[in-house]
Amino acid sequence: MSSLSPRVVVVSRRSELDELLARHGTRGAAGYFLKQRGRDLDEVTARHEALRSALVEVGGAVPADWRRGHVERTDLPRFLFAPEDIVVAVGQDGLVANVAKYLDGQPVIGVDPEPGRNAGVLVRHPAAAVGGLLRGGFRAQGRTMVVARLDDGQELSGLNEIYIGHAGHQSARYVIAAPDGSRERQSSSGLIVGTGTGATGWCASIARERAGAPPLPGPGEAVLCWFVREAWPSPATGVRHVAGLLAPGRELELTSESERLVVFADGLESDALELSWGQRVRVSVADRKLHLV
């Protein structure tokens, strides 16, 4: 058993104000940029201060004898999480999804710095609740994840969904093998495979516009939903296999017939795998889950 004290790793992303200052240099220039677009610097500043205050409150809630860490969203691919870590994601719901793929059993406390503004599906706690959760214990809920495995051994997992297609979302050509083993050559703007958590986001928007869409799974169900986007019917490409459900133990396989298709999870395009012509990727329910507090 490890003698190390727990480490609380706070995950955040730069505020919009931080990004504006990095781009424009000064508050005056940032304010002018926003004004030209009908927006107000005061509103952006208020949101920045809300995030900063939440981060300060979370930091103050960590017991003095515990270890601490902090990582920004853009640095997640290079950060090494330890088994004893407790992760506190401070930001929007998407931040929890961004960090999930880098974890293996560590609990995640999602903190909403602006209660009432975000949906609060994954960031379910105010900053003031973190101290009680850390000191008094908590129960984590298992959330199903999706994994994509390339034929060269690389793999990528996600909490919401995995996208396979061109980086620019233009037409991608491939052969899809449905869970029943039937195959079809397709040309489309990409394939989305989502979890019950992701079924409230990208997959939900596709399903609303898709006649005969399958019932979307719940966040705890070990079932995935999948959709082909804008499949193109032609003498060489079909549209029979464009949506369905994927149960545990079943796989959806795609063989690339384009160069440089990408596979990325939860919108984090900077951490993508690449498929060359003839390479295969298989997508299925992941063996591990996110443990959400």
Side-chain angles (χ1 to χ4, degrees):
M1 184 174 179
S2 174
S3 60
L4 291 174
S5 61
R7 181 176 70 163
V8 174
V9 179
V10 177
V11 181
S12 63
R13 63 176 299 175
R14 294 200 304 176
S15 69
E16 184 180 8
L17 179 60
D18 288 332
E19 292 175 346
L20 285 167
L21 292 176
R23 179 179 177 184
H24 299 285
T26 67
R27 284 179 177 264
Y32 177 78
F33 173 81
L34 290 171
K35 186 176 181 180
Q36 296 299 107
R37 286 153 179 78
R39 299 185 61 198
D40 184 30
L41 181 62
D42 289 342
E43 178 253 335
V44 174
T45 301
R47 297 190 64 192
H48 170 85
E49 291 301 325
L51 175 60
R52 189 184 65 82
S53 296
L55 289 170
V56 169
E57 188 164 8
V58 167
V62 179
D65 57 339
W66 287 22
R67 295 172 297 137
R68 302 162 184 254
H70 182 225
V71 57
E72 285 196 350
R73 177 183 182 268
T74 53
D75 295 325
L76 283 171
R78 297 178 293 276
F79 188 84
L80 183 62
F81 289 96
E84 68 275 6
D85 286 346
I86 299 172
V87 180
V88 182
V90 184
Q92 298 177 337
D93 288 315
L95 188 61
V96 175
N98 293 153
V99 71
K101 59 190 285 188
Y102 303 105
L103 303 179
D104 189 10
Q106 296 92 337
V108 180
I109 301 172
V111 173
D112 188 350
E114 300 176 88
R117 185 181 182 95
N118 298 312
V121 175
L122 300 175
V123 287
R124 304 191 288 186
H125 305 283
V130 171
L133 290 170
L134 294 178
R135 291 189 300 271
F138 47 75
R139 176 177 295 179
Q141 174 193 36
R143 291 284 183 109
T144 296
M145 297 183 68
V146 54
V147 62
R149 295 183 173 92
L150 275 61
D151 56 9
D152 63 3
Q154 296 184 83
E155 68 175 55
L156 186 70
S157 59
L159 176 62
N160 285 333
E161 70 278 310
I162 278 177
Y163 167 82
I164 307 170
H166 268 295
H169 300 262
Q170 65 264 38
S171 294
R173 295 180 68 93
Y174 53 85
V175 175
I176 188 171
D180 64 2
S182 57
R183 302 172 70 84
E184 182 175 59
R185 178 168 283 102
Q186 293 184 343
S187 176
S188 77
S189 56
L191 176 72
I192 307 295
V193 186
T195 67
T197 299
T200 63
W202 199 351
C203 287
S205 66
I206 297 174
R208 279 195 295 269
E209 300 176 355
R210 185 72 59 89
L216 301 181
E221 290 185 66
V223 176
L224 306 176
C225 54
W226 59 274
F227 298 94
V228 175
R229 301 169 63 218
E230 303 167 318
W232 177 252
S234 76
T237 56
V239 294
R240 290 183 296 113
H241 300 297
V242 295
L245 297 175
L246 199 57
R250 306 299 295 273
E251 293 181 328
L252 194 66
E253 181 185 277
L254 184 148
T255 303
S256 175
E257 291 192 343
S258 299
E259 287 293 345
R260 301 188 67 180
L261 298 187
V262 297
V263 182
F264 63 78
D266 300 330
L268 205 59
E269 298 183 37
S270 60
D271 187 23
L273 306 180
E274 191 171 288
L275 280 172
S276 58
W277 185 286
Q279 198 166 11
R280 294 191 308 275
V281 57
R282 294 182 174 92
V283 187
S284 61
V285 175
D287 295 330
R288 58 193 177 90
K289 294 188 174 186
L290 171 73
H291 296 276
L292 181 67
V293 176

